[in-house]
Amino acid sequence: MNTLLNEIDYDSNVEFLDKEPLFNLPYLYINTKSKHYKSLKSYIKNNTVLATSHRDLPTIEKVEYNKNSGYGCCYAYGTLEEFGQRWSRLDVKIIKPVTNEEIVKVLEHKVKTIENLTLKEALKEVDGELSLLVEAFELPVKFYD
């Protein structure tokens, strides 16, 4: 069984939101352990956010990364106050970093509310494979061991 389960302080009201509320921009969740996040994390600081698209976007300055995020190869960063309105008229997603711990919290909440099980009970059903639960509950992010 994953030792991460023993380290988590569970919050019973955790979920992944579909959209950023202020400008109704959809989220693209990226695990903080992924190579994409490691390449892009320097653009996400203080109140700046990172957006991705299939086309060039208005931004503070060009983002030097051309790998596909799963949604596109064009990236932009800035504050929602400055760029949110313009981005909302384009086909973009806001990159939302998520940790393995947050994924476990969401899974714990889902197995409790949907299956009426504890996370440990649900993990027994899938031989301890958290990734299988992530797939089964169609969470919008990958779990990394």
Side-chain angles (χ1 to χ4, degrees), residues 3 31 51 56 60 63 80 82-83 92 96 114 119 121 130 137 140 142:
T3 58
N31 193 311
D56 285 335
I60 291 174
V63 175
L80 285 175
E82 184 177 358
F83 294 101
V92 306
K96 183 84 168 166
I114 296 171
L119 183 55
E121 291 169 333
L130 275 166
F137 286 99
K142 183 176 177 181

Side-chain angles (χ1 to χ4, degrees), residues 8-128:
I8 303 294
D9 178 28
Y10 295 112
D11 179 357
S12 63
N13 250 348
V14 181
E15 62 181 295
F16 289 123
L17 301 175
D18 291 334
K19 297 185 178 194
E20 174 279 325
L22 188 58
F23 293 100
N24 205 32
L25 292 163
Y27 285 130
L28 174 68
Y29 286 95
I30 294 183
N31 193 311
T32 56
K33 287 193 170 195
S34 73
K35 62 183 175 182
H36 290 302
Y37 178 76
K38 288 178 177 138
S39 298
L40 295 167
K41 71 181 178 181
S42 65
Y43 296 101
I44 305 170
K45 51 190 163 200
N46 298 331
N47 64 343
T48 60
V49 296
L50 188 63
T52 184
S53 179
H54 301 287
R55 65 179 128 195
D56 285 335
L57 299 169
T59 184
I60 291 174
E61 64 184 52
K62 183 152 177 60
V63 175
E64 298 298 330
Y65 185 69
N66 64 356
K67 303 281 190 236
N68 194 320
S69 63
Y71 189 70
C73 291
C74 297
Y75 300 87
Y77 76 103
T79 64
L80 285 175
E81 293 79 20
E82 184 177 358
F83 294 101
Q85 189 65 41
R86 289 188 271 174
W87 288 343
S88 69
R89 289 177 261 163
L90 303 170
D91 187 21
V92 306
K93 287 193 177 188
I94 298 295
I95 292 178
K96 183 84 168 166
V98 63
T99 64
N100 277 347
E101 291 81 6
E102 290 169 313
I103 294 168
V104 170
K105 287 180 183 181
V106 170
L107 281 173
E108 191 268 344
H109 177 71
K110 286 196 173 283
V111 297
K112 182 179 177 185
T113 57
I114 296 171
E115 301 292 333
N116 200 24
L117 296 171
T118 67
L119 183 55
K120 288 182 181 183
E121 291 169 333
L123 281 169
K124 286 179 186 176
E125 300 287 325
V126 294
D127 296 324

